[in-house]
Amino acid sequence: MNISRSFSAEEARNLLRRARTGTLGTLNAGEGAPYASLVNLATDVRGCPVILVSTLAWHTRNLLADPRASVMVAELPPEGDALTGARVTVMGRFSRVESCQVSRRYLARHPAAELYAGFGDFAFWRLEPEVAHAVAGFGRIETIPADEMFPSADEMIALEEGAVRHMNDDHDDAIQRYAEKLLGATPGGWKITAIDTDGADLRRGEQVLRLPFEAPVHSGGGLRLLLAKLGEQTGS
């Protein structure tokens, strides 16, 4: 069902997609006091927040005791009142996840984490959302159910790895044009490291760029049509 919102579920989800860091809210083990911490952030294909944390950290000990938590991301305006910027808080429950797809997507967003991702005390955790609260300035405040903000993406989950490999193996020229003409980067050396319903991540060394799609895609056919359209826009 399409719902007219002042700040749409798609806008809120893409705010999460663009974020590289977020504020993690957990409940302190024992007394249950709220605890906020800074974490690096990625998303799975569906859009759910993913973190990589150590058991030595307070927030991880808190999640082990009580998985209820929230993640908040914000985009501050360049000047003026910070509260006029867009932000979204996603609430739900975290669980540990062992998935090559999830780890690949996270490390594509945070290449430096490759140095410690394999340490025994580190693990990937994914938030299973229950509700989101989004704010984008005066009069643009929405509470969004999880199934609206994070719709199923089974076909995209299944095809992502093959689509990434195909683009890098067979369409390198197109990827360089995406980086140069759509994202303003210098061409050369870019690879697609992740694809989801809302866009793709491009990486060159430690540089990571987000290529947003003009509209969500949920099928292989839709993805092929969209990538072909981007190719036409960039002069293929």
Side-chain angles (χ1 to χ4, degrees):
M1 179 174 60
N2 292 324
I3 300 175
S4 177
R5 295 191 181 278
S6 61
F7 190 19
S8 71
E10 182 182 337
E11 289 177 297
R13 189 176 62 251
N14 275 298
L15 186 60
L16 275 175
R17 300 280 199 196
R18 293 191 296 271
R20 300 191 68 248
T21 61
T23 300
L24 172 65
T26 57
L27 299 173
N28 265 340
E31 76 275 17
Y35 175 69
S37 53
L38 178 68
V39 291
N40 285 333
L41 193 67
T43 59
D44 67 6
V45 175
R46 186 178 161 214
C48 301
V50 174
I51 58 176
L52 173 64
V53 290
S54 167
T55 53
L56 300 177
W58 272 20
H59 47 228
T60 311
R61 296 200 296 268
N62 292 344
L63 292 175
L64 288 167
D66 188 336
R68 291 177 297 168
S70 65
V71 169
M72 189 274 284
V73 301
E75 290 182 340
L76 301 181
E79 58 186 18
D81 188 350
L83 295 181
T84 62
R87 61 267 195 196
V88 60
T89 300
V90 184
M91 293 157 277
R93 296 171 185 266
F94 268 98
S95 61
R96 286 185 57 164
V97 56
E98 295 183 6
S99 163
C100 292
Q101 185 177 57
V102 166
S103 62
R104 174 176 52 77
R105 288 181 59 86
Y106 183 94
L107 295 175
R109 293 288 287 167
H110 302 284
E114 293 175 359
L115 294 174
Y116 53 82
F119 291 0
D121 60 304
F122 276 86
F124 293 97
W125 291 68
R126 175 169 53 200
L127 179 65
E128 185 57 40
E130 296 174 357
V131 67
H133 188 67
V135 182
F138 180 77
R140 299 188 66 197
I141 303 172
E142 297 285 350
T143 299
I144 307 173
D147 59 354
E148 181 183 341
M149 185 164 164
F150 304 98
S152 61
D154 292 347
E155 186 170 346
M156 290 296 290
I157 291 170
L159 65 81
E160 188 214 11
E161 186 173 354
V164 168
R165 184 170 55 250
H166 170 69
M167 289 300 297
N168 288 323
D169 290 347
D170 299 334
H171 298 284
D172 180 73
D173 289 347
I175 296 170
Q176 309 317 311
R177 291 194 304 272
Y178 297 162
E180 178 184 15
K181 298 185 178 181
L182 299 178
L183 301 176
T186 56
W190 292 99
K191 296 292 184 182
I192 288 182
T193 52
I195 296 175
D196 50 64
T197 56
D198 300 300
D201 289 344
L202 278 64
R203 174 182 169 185
R204 180 176 63 189
E206 295 295 311
Q207 295 177 277
V208 178
L209 299 176
R210 178 70 179 170
L211 175 65
F213 296 158
E214 61 181 14
V217 294
H218 295 279
S219 67
L223 180 61
R224 285 190 293 273
L225 288 174
L226 186 143
L227 292 174
K229 184 175 181 180
L230 292 179
E232 293 173 358
Q233 293 175 0
T234 56
S236 64

